Amino acid sequence: MKPTIYEWIDGHYKHYMNTSSHRQKVFLEFDEKIKEWIRDAKNLAEDGFYAQALTLYQQAKELEPDNGLIHFYCGDAEANLGQFEKALTSFNRAVELLPNHGSSWIFRAVALIHLERYVEALSSCDRAISIDANDQEAWLFHGVALQRLGKYRQAYASFKQATERAGTKY
C-alpha cells in the first residue's frame, strides 16, 4: 500500500532538510513522488478505480495545490464518481490556474450539464471553442447545452460542427 503524504514526508522530508545540500534532493523527490502518484492514478482511473485514483490525485494536490492539471484530474475522477459539485469545484480551480486548457473548460461544461446549469455550460463551451475552434468535444457539448435549453436549431448547428471536426458525414 502506498504511504500517505504525511507518512512519506515524515520518512523523507525531515531527514533531508537538516542540510542545505539535501534540500534540492527533497524537492526532486517530491516531484518524482507526485509524478508517480499521477501515473498510478491515471492507470487506476483507466481501469475504472476512480475512488482510488482520486485518493492519489488528492495526495499530489496537497504537495502542489497550484498545479492546474492535478485539479483537472481530481475533477475527472470526481465526475466519474458522480460527484458533480466537487468536480465543478476542481474544474473551476483548473481553469483559474490554466485558463487556456480547453479540456478543463469542456469537462467543466459537462459537470454543469449534469447539474442542469446549461447557460453556464454553454459559456464554458464557448470558452473552449475560443481556445480551439476545431475541438470536436467542445462543439458536441455546446450542442448538448443548447439542446437542453430548447434551442434546437442552434444545437443542430453545433452538432454539425462536431461531426465535421470528427471527419464524419451526417
Side-chain angles (χ1 to χ4, degrees):
M1 180 158 168
K2 301 244 183 250
T4 67
I5 181 68
Y6 303 108
E7 292 168 338
W8 189 82
I9 288 173
D10 286 342
H12 293 88
Y13 182 77
K14 291 178 183 177
H15 172 74
Y16 290 113
M17 289 307 286
N18 292 330
T19 65
S20 62
S21 65
H22 289 116
R23 286 190 183 115
Q24 187 173 12
K25 184 176 180 181
V26 166
F27 293 117
L28 291 174
E29 285 185 15
F30 274 167
D31 188 52
E32 288 305 311
K33 183 54 70 177
I34 290 167
K35 287 177 184 175
E36 178 186 329
W37 282 335
I38 291 172
R39 185 176 47 251
D40 291 349
K42 283 181 178 180
N43 290 334
L44 286 165
E46 286 175 10
D47 291 337
F49 298 104
Y50 301 111
Q52 294 88 339
L54 181 58
T55 298
L56 293 177
Y57 289 139
Q58 289 170 332
Q59 288 179 336
K61 186 170 64 173
E62 286 182 39
L63 284 179
E64 283 197 32
D66 294 328
N67 183 320
L69 283 177
I70 295 172
H71 287 276
F72 171 77
Y73 295 137
C74 283
D76 184 37
E78 290 160 342
N80 279 294
L81 291 168
Q83 301 171 359
F84 298 110
E85 286 289 348
K86 288 182 180 180
L88 180 58
T89 299
S90 293
F91 294 134
N92 283 341
R93 184 69 174 137
V95 298
E96 179 183 324
L97 295 167
L98 299 170
N100 292 318
H101 187 245
S103 293
S104 292
W105 287 101
I106 295 166
F107 281 52
R108 180 181 186 270
V110 172
L112 287 163
I113 288 168
H114 281 282
L115 295 169
E116 300 180 5
R117 293 165 57 181
Y118 308 123
V119 173
E120 292 171 82
L122 189 59
S123 293
S124 284
C125 290
D126 287 339
R127 180 68 173 106
I129 291 166
S130 76
I131 294 166
D132 181 3
N134 290 313
D135 192 308
Q136 174 191 359
E137 287 185 328
W139 284 106
L140 173 67
F141 291 109
H142 190 265
V144 170
L146 286 166
Q147 183 270 332
R148 300 282 172 88
L149 288 167
K151 298 181 179 185
Y152 301 111
R153 287 181 191 222
Q154 291 171 301
Y156 176 79
S158 291
F159 293 141
K160 181 179 175 186
Q161 293 288 334
T163 58
E164 287 174 357
R165 278 143 183 84
T168 59
K169 297 192 181 204
Y170 52 95

